[in-house]
């Protein structure tokens, strides 16, 4: 299949280099081992670019640089106006290079160019701009105390932050992590996901162009257990921020008990999207589609358990399946594509594995239910948008994160049944509620145990609004003022008068 979009020459140069180097202490360097790994274009299964493969020695060098930038070079004590200026420049540069970044993201991840260009890239710029505004608004307190003393607090950066990000929103997750860390004066070692390292590396160049001092941000691509593991274990890393699978989140939780470094975890989800019979049905259908097929369903807060009030369940499922079947699937670079390929062969296998599990459990695919190997799709990682009915909430496909374009439609009797089933999961990342009854909307929003509840909408994000999990979806809140808490610590100072 021919991609309809002509590639930006800068993108072609970027991927054609013999291999992309990593950023350590302001320099682009090969891995200490000399090793590289391939990143693949998921629309074609072909190698897209080669990237330096970071491991423990590279992490060691990167942490040393970040330590020096923090302890000696004074990023933490730099003038707030200076940090603001640099972060604003980063935001501007992301926008200036939006077309290039979007194409790179689409090539590496597979997502549609419309999403890269209109969602991910502007949101990444917006996140840097939002946190640029926080730099000079992080206050301590003056505390009433015995008049013999003056007692106040300082909010200080935590130190060196190790940030490990996933492949579903590579540039945007880098922005969510870097924006607040840098605003608060921390220095960083960032490890992008091995499936999608390219936009983080391009961002590294933009950070330099924006005037980021050497060593403040180091970017070490590589694999989870090696590069990621070294960062997690490193005694000189003060904080780990992680977004990814719940299993790895738990491993990080265990590993960091040895050093007690600060940890924030944004993990998986199996979010209930609850449609009451009194909802605006057309809006709910659109919300349900977007809630689960956006980014091929590779979204931690995807509304994968679609609870529909019993009396309209069958009709709603049919309409949904009709719409899902009409969604345009294709390579992300084709501007008409609505559903692109999954990110990797591994993810393709995981998702098709769940399609088999679902069928064995007795679920019925009203539409989709299989890999798309139509003409032009043979080598890519395409899975057809899938709507399962006949699903019970205790089936594996309703309890385990699939991370693909697969929704389970499940009937419910009444409000309390919806809440009971909705909460019956060990995840708690997000939820949706569709109803015209304002009181019911309030009651359900409170009763659902999740970090975000969307009422008559889904997947709405702002840099100012906190995001994170209840239960095993993780801990810590990113975005808004809450990220400032993750990247600062409080010092109480007593002075005798
Ligand atoms: P993963 O959790 O293995 O990978 C996420 C990041 O963690 C990557 O940068 C990876 O290199 C790193 N990592 C992996 N093992 C590590 C370790 N031992 N120590 C330190 N860092 C490590 O996720 P994976 O395998 O790519 O996807 C598996 C499933 O995880 C998906 O099917 C999905 O269910 C879930 N997931 C959830 C995400 C979210 O946004 N919450 C994002 C990506 C995956
Ligand atoms: Mg993994």
């Amino acid at each position: 299949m021919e991609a309809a979009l002509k590639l930006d020459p800068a993108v072609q140069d970027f991927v054609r280099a013999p291999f992309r180097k990593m950023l350590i202490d302001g320099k682009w360097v090969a891995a200490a081992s000399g090793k590289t790994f391939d990143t693949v274009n998921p629309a074609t299964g072909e190698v897209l670019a080669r990237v330096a493969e970071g491991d423990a020695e590279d992490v060691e060098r990167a942490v040393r640089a970040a330590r020096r930038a923090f302890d000696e070079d004074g990023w933490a004590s730099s003038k707030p106006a200076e940090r603001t200026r640099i972060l604003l420049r980063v935001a501007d540069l992301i926008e200036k290079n939006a077309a290039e970044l979007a194409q790179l993201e689409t090539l590496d991840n597979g997502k549609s160019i419309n999403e890269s260009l209109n969602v991910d890239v502007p949101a990444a710029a917006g996140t840097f701009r939002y946190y640029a505004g926080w730099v000079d608004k992080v206050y301590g307190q003056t505390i009433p105390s015995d008049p013999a003393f003056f007692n106040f607090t300082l909010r200080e950066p935590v130190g060196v932050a190790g940030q490990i990000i996933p492949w579903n929103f590579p540039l945007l997750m880098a922005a969510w992590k870097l924006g607040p860390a840098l605003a608060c004066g921390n220095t960083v070692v960032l490890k992008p996901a091995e499936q999608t390292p390219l936009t983080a590396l391009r961002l590294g160049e933009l950070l330099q162009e924006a005037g980021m001092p050497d060593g403040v941000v180091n970017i070490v691509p590589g694999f989870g257990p090696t590069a990621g593991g070294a960062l997690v274990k490193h005694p000189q890393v003060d904080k780990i921020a992680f977004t990814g699978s719940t299993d790895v989140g738990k491993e990080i939780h265990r590993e960091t008990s040895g050093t007690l470094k600060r940890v924030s975890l944004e993990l998986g989800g199996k979010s209930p999207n609850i449609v009451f019979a009194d909802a605006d049905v057309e809006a709910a259908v659109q919300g349900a589609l977007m809630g689960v097929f956006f980014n091929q369903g590779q979204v931690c807060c995807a509304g994968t358990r679609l609870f529909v009030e019993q009396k309209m369940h069958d009709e709603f499922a049919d309409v949904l399946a009709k719409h899902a079947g009409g969604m345009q699937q294709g390579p992300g670079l084709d501007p008409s594509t609505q559903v692109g390929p999954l990110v990797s062969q591994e993810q393709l296998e995981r998702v098709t594995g769940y399609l088999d599990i679902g069928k064995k459990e007795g679920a019925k695919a009203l539409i989709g239910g299989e890999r798309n190997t139509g003409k032009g799709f043979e080598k890519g990682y395409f899975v057809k948008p899938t709507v399962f009915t006949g699903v019970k909430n205790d089936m594996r496909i309703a309890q385990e994160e699939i991370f693909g374009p697969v929704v389970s439609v499940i009937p419910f009797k009444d409000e309390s049944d919806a809440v009971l089933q909705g909460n019956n999961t060990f995840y708690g990342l997000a939820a949706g509620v569709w109803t015209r009854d304002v009181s019911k909307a309030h009651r359900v929003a409170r009763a659902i145990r999740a970090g975000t509840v969307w009422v008559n909408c889904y997947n709405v994000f702002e840099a100012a609004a906190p995001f994170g999990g209840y239960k095993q979806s993780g801990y810590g809140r990113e975005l808004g003022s809450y990220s400032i808490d993750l990247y600062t610590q409080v010092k109480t100072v007593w002075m005798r008068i």
Side-chain angles (χ1 to χ4, degrees):
M1 181 158 302
E2 269 309 298
L5 202 78
K6 223 171 133 16
L7 278 186
D8 187 320
V11 172
Q12 290 176 342
D13 289 348
F14 197 84
V15 298
R16 265 194 209 132
F19 70 98
R20 300 301 331 171
K21 295 180 173 172
M22 58 180 90
L23 179 61
I24 297 181
D25 208 4
K27 290 176 197 66
W28 292 95
V29 295
S33 67
K35 281 199 209 162
T36 61
F37 67 100
D38 293 338
T39 182
V40 168
N41 177 348
T44 62
E46 285 161 10
V47 174
L48 174 65
R50 205 147 278 150
V51 177
E53 184 187 328
D55 202 340
E57 176 55 27
D58 308 286
V59 167
E60 177 61 38
R61 293 174 188 180
V63 171
R64 232 181 281 144
R67 267 284 39 118
R68 196 211 58 240
F70 186 81
D71 295 328
E72 297 164 32
D73 296 355
W75 172 249
S77 54
S78 57
K79 285 187 182 160
E82 183 55 18
R83 293 208 297 284
T84 298
R85 189 159 42 230
I86 293 174
L87 291 174
L88 287 176
R89 261 191 237 136
V90 174
D92 290 346
L93 284 168
I94 290 173
E95 282 170 354
K96 192 174 148 207
N97 295 280
E100 182 196 340
L101 285 164
Q103 290 185 9
L104 210 49
E105 196 77 312
T106 287
L107 279 173
D108 210 7
N109 166 282
K111 65 176 69 197
S112 79
I113 190 70
N114 288 325
E115 188 203 317
S116 300
L117 195 58
N118 301 320
V119 182
D120 295 36
V121 173
T127 304
F128 277 103
R129 194 165 286 131
Y130 173 79
Y131 282 106
W134 264 104
V135 173
D136 56 2
K137 294 167 194 72
V138 180
Y139 299 103
Q141 295 177 327
T142 306
I143 297 169
S145 70
D146 181 325
F149 299 92
F150 181 58
N151 183 201
F152 63 97
T153 63
L154 294 171
R155 268 200 179 247
E156 298 186 331
V158 177
V160 173
Q163 305 185 319
I164 300 172
I165 58 173
W167 42 261
N168 50 347
F169 295 90
L171 180 69
L172 185 55
M173 288 304 104
W176 280 28
K177 298 277 186 282
L178 289 171
L182 298 171
C184 297
N186 301 273
T187 60
V188 173
V189 179
L190 176 76
K191 195 205 81 65
E194 56 271 34
Q195 296 86 350
T196 56
L198 297 182
T199 47
L201 295 173
R202 181 69 184 107
L203 178 63
E205 294 179 345
L206 298 180
L207 291 165
Q208 289 186 303
E209 196 178 331
M212 196 66 73
D214 291 352
V216 171
V217 178
N218 306 274
I219 304 175
V220 181
F223 291 90
T226 49
L231 203 47
V232 169
K233 289 188 195 84
H234 202 295
Q236 297 296 320
V237 172
D238 300 293
K239 178 192 163 54
I240 293 289
F242 172 77
T243 299
S245 64
T246 295
D247 284 348
V248 172
K250 288 178 182 174
E251 196 179 319
I252 290 173
H253 181 95
R254 281 191 297 271
E255 274 296 337
T256 49
S257 68
T259 49
L260 288 182
K261 52 176 62 97
R262 305 281 182 277
V263 178
S264 50
L265 301 173
E266 201 264 271
L267 309 175
K270 199 72 196 177
S271 299
N273 194 8
I274 302 170
V275 184
F276 288 97
D278 63 6
D280 173 343
V281 174
E282 185 46 35
V285 168
Q286 291 305 325
L289 287 168
M290 195 261 290
V292 80
F293 297 129
F294 176 65
N295 205 30
Q296 294 67 247
Q298 300 166 133
V299 181
C300 49
C301 53
T304 48
R305 292 184 302 142
L306 182 64
F307 291 100
V308 180
E309 196 163 340
Q310 203 146 35
K311 57 184 158 193
M312 67 163 193
H313 170 275
D314 294 358
E315 189 193 332
F316 193 92
D318 285 341
V319 174
L320 190 77
K322 195 161 157 279
H323 279 83
M327 289 180 93
Q328 179 85 18
Q329 187 151 46
L333 280 183
D334 182 338
S336 66
T337 288
Q338 292 173 294
V339 182
L342 298 176
V343 72
S344 64
Q345 176 73 29
E346 188 188 2
Q347 200 59 23
L348 174 71
E349 283 164 16
R350 184 176 287 131
V351 172
T352 50
Y354 274 112
L355 296 177
D356 293 342
I357 290 169
K359 289 173 204 161
K360 282 200 195 100
E361 287 180 308
K364 180 175 173 229
L366 284 187
I367 192 86
E370 59 185 5
R371 182 177 179 183
N372 189 343
T373 49
K375 197 169 160 358
F377 293 89
E378 302 89 339
K379 295 194 180 131
Y381 311 133
F382 295 90
V383 169
K384 293 181 184 172
T386 299
V387 176
F388 272 131
T389 54
V391 181
K392 295 211 170 52
N393 192 46
D394 59 0
M395 288 181 180
R396 283 186 65 191
I397 55 164
Q399 288 294 315
E400 297 173 19
E401 189 171 50
I402 299 175
F403 234 59
V406 184
V407 63
S408 294
V409 191
I410 307 171
F412 67 87
K413 281 201 297 288
D414 54 20
E415 185 180 324
S416 66
D417 184 35
V419 169
L420 193 73
Q421 292 200 67
N423 281 334
N424 188 359
T425 162
F426 64 77
Y427 290 119
L429 195 56
V433 184
W434 299 83
T435 175
R436 285 193 171 99
D437 180 336
V438 177
S439 301
K440 195 196 283 177
H442 276 284
R443 284 195 303 272
V444 177
R446 287 183 189 213
I448 289 292
R449 298 194 61 216
T452 295
V453 179
W454 287 293
V455 177
N456 295 330
C457 57
Y458 209 90
N459 278 343
V460 187
F461 284 89
E462 294 267 353
F467 183 76
Y470 277 37
K471 301 194 271 183
Q472 292 189 32
S473 290
Y475 46 74
R477 292 289 176 275
E478 295 191 297
L479 301 184
S481 63
Y482 293 84
S483 257
I484 302 298
D485 295 336
L486 297 182
Y487 289 98
T488 55
Q489 50 195 348
V490 176
K491 178 182 283 175
T492 304
V493 184
W494 290 93
M495 297 176 69
R496 187 181 289 283
I497 289 176

